[in-house]
Amino acid sequence: MSTKSILKDTSIAFLESYLNNASPTGYESEGQKLWMDYLKPYVDTFITDTYGTAVGVINPDAPFKVVIEGHADEISWYVNYITDDGLLYVIRNGGSDHLIAPSKRVHIHTKKGIVKGVFGWPAIHTRLRDKEETPKISNIFIDLGCETKEQVEAMGVHVGCVITYPDEFMILNENKFVCRAIDNRMGGFMIAEVARLLHENKKTLPFGLYIVNSVQEEIGLRGAEMITQTIKPNVAIVTDVCHDTTTPMIDKKVEGDLKMGKGPVIAYAPAVQNKLRELIVDTAEENKIPFQRHASSRATGTDTDAFAYSNGGVASALISLPLRYMHTTVEMVHREDVENVIQLIYESLLKIENNETFSYFK
């Protein structure tokens, strides 16, 4: 199967609409609706839970259960304090980066709809020359163009409103996808593409396949923690992003040597079950899919950890997508890596199918 044929025009159109839609931690429902609508032709049924994790299921009656998973949420901010002059101070919802905030445009989500604003910052002319003030949580603020707290509240803005960036999808140099929230709605996109390929290639799997788009990963893997108790899978293949370490100011001796365009990244970590990882490595080698390796000292920091240590232990593995500028509004990945992650998950599922006994993973 050639990677050139994996992504259709309809796939890219879905990816663009899916990334452009806001899906902050705790408020993922609108993005989940888009994802489920796209996935619907390729699955037999859906599962959803109280907090919004969405699962497309193929062959739901099979006793052996395999999960492929990404997470749906993006980083954001909460309104934390409104001054008498109508300025907003914020706290994080997930790992939002305070250093990139000044001068960014924002959307405040209210019951009355989107309210637009900007992260303000003092002009360079007015800042102290001998002690440059740096952005931090305590001094970044949002300006809605209001003059009083009452004007802010009249717009529907209150403490607890969630705030996202509106930056939208674009393609650079024909093969780089750029947007906020590629971490990790690209994962949701890739597992949906795996389901599409299985359907279009008329593959019938001997196990139940659970295509899981989890919520609340950015605040502690919470969605995966909940849904794994519902599914009780035997195997979980998780996809997330990792750092392209070739950009300036990243120490490869600390972060590893990884580069976008060189293929999916296969994780080595205590939470990664060795036999499943080696099955994925063998799959990559047999299908001539380029791949890289990355070691994690204790935890992967992804939903892999939640699946692995649930239900008495679930054979789990992590396939990551190299990404530049994580948790910024210009996250960047290589189209070929996206295609190769999709192919690697797809071919790994077929290799699990061809395994003589599922006890291989025990």
Side-chain angles (χ1 to χ4, degrees), residues 82-88 143 145-152:
I82 306 172
T83 72
D84 291 340
D85 295 330
L87 300 176
L88 312 182
D143 191 335
C146 294
E147 298 172 4
T148 66
K149 182 177 182 180
E150 289 73 22
Q151 288 179 357
V152 171

Side-chain angles (χ1 to χ4, degrees), residues 1 41-42 58 194-206 346 350 353:
M1 187 170 69
Y42 313 128
I58 299 172
V194 172
R196 177 180 65 79
L197 291 174
L198 290 169
H199 176 82
E200 292 179 353
N201 294 328
K202 296 180 171 57
K203 297 295 183 181
T204 302
L205 300 173
Y346 174 89
L350 299 184
E353 173 192 13

